[in-house]
Amino acid sequence: MKFNNILLSSLLLMGVASANAQEPAKTIYDFQPHWFVQLQAGGQYTLGETKFSDLLSPTAQVAVGYNFNKVFGMRLQANAWQSRGGWKLDGNKYKWKYNYVAPGVDFMFNLSNLFCGFNPNRVVDVTVFAGAGANIAWNNDEAQTVYGQIAAQLPYSQGVEGQNLDYLWDGSKVRFVGRAGADVDFRVSDRVKIGIEVNANVLNDHYNSKKAGNPDWYFNALAGVKIALGKTHTKRVVEAPKPVERIIERIVEKPVPTPVKEEKKVETLRKDVFFTIGSNKISATEEAKIKELVDYLNENKDAKVAVTGYADAGTGSAKINEKIAAKRAQAVVAMLRDKYGVSESRITSDSKGAYIQPFSENDKNRVSICIAE
């Protein structure tokens, strides 16, 4: 019997210890749909038949977009500036440049959020995209000049045909362009990221004036900044569940308990009186909380109440917040004293400005916390 009692006592202690092990509170970030703008500049390589450096040119891109959820977004972008063409013939090297602007729409997929979950504090985000638009090209005068130079170099009987400038164009031309690429963004703040982008663009064979029998391509490498035009996320704190004590009853003979005189226990009463932004006026709803304090004080003649005013750190300066927090505390004190007749000797007051934030939610810190005990 004694062995059973010892065993059951051990199980009881283990159960209570397990119940008292409490997990910490968790912070959860919820994605907020938002607009963004993007400004970028860099270089372009137009695919061709001469050396790499001869086909490099400057490029720039502006975009405005919307992230619908943590993975999917869309943007309207316009890429523009300059493309190049080049050709070698009989040991001579020819090159020309022309201008373009290519507006279009891209469909964007955030791979970091897709595979690793949404985290607004992540340092690096990887996004891929694909889209289409129009390429509007003009100012192809240098290609016209090259055409004349090649014609002058060839025998009259041979002509320029067959020298890969069969698709020479002038004026302005509009062509369909398809594109795909990737962004790598680095977090600067909740709303600002700097990043690099590479994209590949494909058009028909007429873009660079040369007949090649396959589509023309140009590739862009860009660096720039992305700015969110609103909140990108909200934060909430999920408190851990309170421990539940489980009592394992021991099957033993219980002694007859000695009667104990019960003492009346008075619980502490707390009321949070909330205010609107920049105000110390007590609304009818919040006054009802003060009336509950008064009822408590009337029922417990030895009880006293402590009133502490606060301001939210999200708005205003420190000096302004100090004043408004003090006024909120005094507004509650004045109502207790003047309207409900509570003696000043039973009231203490203080204010913490915005230096202390009792609540994780910013707007709730516009408050006077009243504790009666």
Side-chain angles (χ1 to χ4, degrees):
M1 187 66 162
K2 290 183 179 179
F3 175 78
N4 289 339
N5 289 346
I6 294 172
L7 178 61
L8 289 169
S9 297
S10 300
L11 290 172
L12 174 64
L13 291 173
M14 291 172 63
V16 172
S18 175
N20 286 329
Q22 186 175 355
E23 296 180 359
K26 294 182 179 180
T27 300
I28 297 177
Y29 298 99
D30 296 315
F31 179 87
Q32 286 284 102
H34 58 275
W35 290 91
F36 66 87
V37 294
Q38 201 170 13
L39 304 173
Q40 299 165 292
Q44 179 184 109
Y45 169 66
T46 312
L47 192 64
E49 292 77 18
T50 185
K51 69 178 184 178
F52 180 82
S53 60
D54 288 340
L55 298 173
L56 294 178
S57 55
T59 189
Q61 183 168 281
V62 296
V64 59
Y66 189 77
N67 287 320
F68 295 92
N69 55 47
K70 65 181 182 180
V71 174
F72 176 66
M74 290 178 63
R75 71 178 180 183
L76 296 173
Q77 52 75 25
N79 180 263
W81 203 332
Q82 192 180 92
S83 292
R84 285 186 176 270
W87 182 243
K88 291 180 179 178
L89 178 64
D90 297 334
N92 295 315
K93 182 172 62 177
Y94 301 93
K95 55 184 179 180
W96 57 92
K97 59 180 180 291
Y98 44 101
N99 301 108
Y100 78 98
V101 60
V105 59
D106 291 333
F107 301 92
M108 310 179 73
F109 302 89
N110 189 309
L111 299 184
S112 300
N113 289 341
L114 177 63
F115 294 110
C116 303
F118 175 65
N119 179 4
N121 299 315
R122 183 181 290 119
V123 177
V124 181
D125 264 331
V126 178
T127 300
V128 296
F129 60 86
N135 179 290
I136 306 165
W138 71 95
N139 195 20
N140 200 31
D141 297 341
E142 289 189 6
Q144 300 280 351
T145 302
V146 168
Y147 182 90
Q149 291 173 346
I150 294 175
Q153 202 178 329
L154 296 171
Y156 179 78
S157 59
Q158 184 173 344
V160 185
E161 289 74 14
Q163 303 306 318
N164 276 52
L165 283 175
D166 295 350
Y167 291 153
L168 185 67
W169 53 269
D170 58 6
S172 60
K173 298 292 181 182
V174 180
R175 301 176 178 89
F176 172 83
V177 58
R179 55 190 260 125
D183 274 322
V184 180
D185 291 322
F186 301 88
R187 182 182 185 275
V188 176
S189 68
D190 282 350
R191 297 191 181 186
V192 179
K193 295 180 179 180
I194 58 174
I196 56 176
E197 175 180 324
V198 292
N199 59 62
N201 301 262
V202 60
L203 312 92
N204 66 29
D205 193 22
H206 292 243
Y207 184 58
N208 62 4
S209 299
K210 296 181 299 179
K211 183 178 180 180
N214 50 258
D216 287 334
W217 292 81
Y218 60 83
F219 305 89
N220 295 322
L222 301 152
V225 62
K226 182 186 292 182
I227 303 172
L229 303 179
K231 285 186 176 181
T232 60
H233 66 279
T234 56
K235 181 174 71 172
R236 54 192 171 95
V237 177
V238 178
E239 299 292 340
K242 294 182 179 180
V244 179
E245 295 185 0
R246 296 179 179 177
I247 300 175
I248 304 175
E249 294 184 357
R250 294 181 293 171
I251 307 174
V252 295
E253 295 180 1
K254 297 180 181 179
V256 178
T258 303
V260 178
K261 183 179 179 181
E262 293 186 1
E263 295 182 0
K264 185 180 179 181
K265 185 178 179 181
V266 180
E267 296 183 353
T268 299
L269 178 65
R270 168 175 168 166
K271 291 295 176 182
D272 299 333
V273 180
F274 295 103
F275 299 84
T276 58
I277 184 169
S279 173
N280 64 321
K281 183 178 179 180
I282 300 172
S283 68
T285 303
E286 301 306 302
E287 184 177 346
K289 298 178 183 177
I290 296 176
K291 183 62 172 62
E292 292 180 40
L293 282 170
V294 173
D295 294 340
Y296 175 93
L297 293 171
N298 289 337
E299 292 174 5
N300 302 278
K301 299 300 182 181
D302 295 329
K304 295 183 178 182
V305 60
V307 181
T308 306
Y310 299 86
D312 69 283
T315 56
S317 65
K319 187 174 182 180
I320 291 173
N321 286 333
E322 288 176 4
K323 289 182 179 180
I324 192 63
K327 287 181 179 180
R328 286 167 177 164
Q330 288 304 313
V332 175
V333 170
M335 182 169 284
L336 287 168
R337 181 189 62 216
D338 301 338
K339 185 169 182 177
Y340 293 104
V342 178
S343 172
E344 284 195 15
S345 62
R346 301 179 70 185
I347 307 171
T348 58
S349 66
D350 192 10
S351 67
K352 302 296 184 183
Y355 300 110
I356 296 175
Q357 300 287 273
F359 296 98
S360 60
E361 185 177 337
N362 182 69
D363 293 356
K364 286 189 175 182
N365 293 308
R366 304 161 188 155
V367 67
S368 284
I369 296 177
C370 310
I371 299 176
E373 57 184 349

